[in-house]
Amino acid sequence: MLSVNGFRAALRYLTMFKEGMICTVSLSFLTVVFGFLLALVLALMRMSRIKPLSIFASIYVEVFRATPMLVQLFIIYYIVFGGVNLPSFKLFGFIRFERFLPGVISLALNSAAYLSEIIRAGIQSIDPGQSEAARSLGLTRRQTLQSIVLPQAIKNILPAIANEFVTIIKESSICYTIGVQEIMSAVNSVKSATFSIGEPLIIAACVYFCLTFPTSKIIQYFERRMSRGDRR
């Protein structure tokens, strides 16, 4: 049962939720950055005329989209980094690097599988005639992709990439299972200290809402601005 005293007890640990929020935002931001870079490589590999590269990228995407993120997280943390002695220091004074890094890598690998399909669709949405015109002007395939196709494709998929950031903010909660000090880790710590779970969960839900709702509205604003620019 929720109670006023329960909320008072949970709010004494507000610093933990603040630290968890900082960790969650850092985790999500790095995930989207590294995930996007990997996704771009995967998208280009999947569209490549070199069969082994295309097959590898296709297998990667299918495997990571068809298996639970929790399983991927545990494989990265317990198997891939199980025998690796990562530097033991704290980011911002409270985020344990040896747990944070596997969390970022796991989320980035998973996010890349989804983002690569978004990027591939964005590239394929560009009129092939533009590529043909660029090639007729003497541009190489790489120059055409870099100067003509990618800038337009990224503009088209930017809202989807921004929405992926919102999704990762919510999905990053899974990293508390390996000891990353994000928002759900704060909930677990408060539950152990107060012997109450309802109140810290409500506070966590409010923190997630305060992170995702404004971000979603900002994304919608830029989507409208971009669509007005396209209509002109």
Side-chain angles (χ1 to χ4, degrees), residues 30-222:
L30 291 175
T31 293
V32 170
V33 170
F34 292 125
F36 173 79
L37 295 176
L38 177 57
L40 181 59
V41 173
L42 288 170
L44 296 176
M45 287 173 63
R46 198 160 188 188
M47 294 186 298
S48 172
R49 296 173 182 174
I50 304 173
K51 264 302 187 194
L53 293 179
S54 178
I55 292 172
F56 173 81
S58 298
I59 292 173
Y60 177 98
V61 170
E62 295 303 325
V63 168
F64 274 87
R65 291 178 67 177
T67 54
M69 187 183 290
L70 182 61
V71 174
Q72 298 167 17
L73 178 64
F74 283 176
I75 288 174
I76 296 295
Y77 182 70
Y78 290 109
I79 298 178
V80 176
F81 284 97
V84 179
N85 291 321
L86 292 172
S88 182
F89 63 91
K90 293 184 178 181
L91 301 168
F92 304 113
F94 58 87
I95 301 175
R96 296 173 63 182
F97 178 78
E98 70 275 15
R99 298 180 185 273
F100 182 79
L101 180 62
V104 170
I105 292 175
S106 301
L107 291 174
L109 290 175
N110 180 273
S111 179
Y114 293 91
L115 282 174
S116 66
E117 291 299 281
I118 295 172
I119 294 172
R120 186 165 69 96
I123 292 174
Q124 292 177 338
S125 69
I126 304 303
D127 186 359
Q130 296 192 37
S131 297
E132 293 171 5
R135 297 297 296 273
S136 68
L137 291 172
L139 272 69
T140 64
R141 182 181 175 86
R142 179 180 177 182
Q143 290 173 329
T144 300
L145 182 66
Q146 183 177 340
S147 303
I148 306 297
V149 177
L150 277 181
Q152 296 181 75
I154 290 175
K155 179 184 176 183
N156 292 340
I157 65 175
L158 201 56
I161 294 172
N163 281 319
E164 180 68 10
F165 177 68
V166 175
T167 301
I168 290 297
I169 288 176
K170 294 180 286 186
E171 291 184 346
S172 65
S173 61
I174 201 171
C175 289
Y176 95 95
T177 57
I178 61 170
V180 178
Q181 300 95 315
E182 46 76 64
I183 296 171
M184 286 305 297
S185 178
V187 170
N188 201 41
S189 298
V190 174
K191 182 192 74 172
S192 300
T194 63
F195 302 101
S196 178
I197 185 63
E199 290 82 1
L201 279 175
I202 296 297
I203 294 173
C206 292
V207 174
Y208 278 117
F209 180 82
C210 290
L211 287 174
T212 58
F213 183 75
T215 306
S216 299
K217 292 301 178 184
I218 292 171
I219 293 169
Q220 290 175 10
Y221 170 76
F222 281 107

Side-chain angles (χ1 to χ4, degrees), residues 1-15:
M1 289 291 292
L2 301 177
S3 66
V4 174
N5 289 334
F7 279 107
R8 286 175 180 168
L11 288 172
R12 294 195 193 104
Y13 301 90
L14 206 56
T15 301

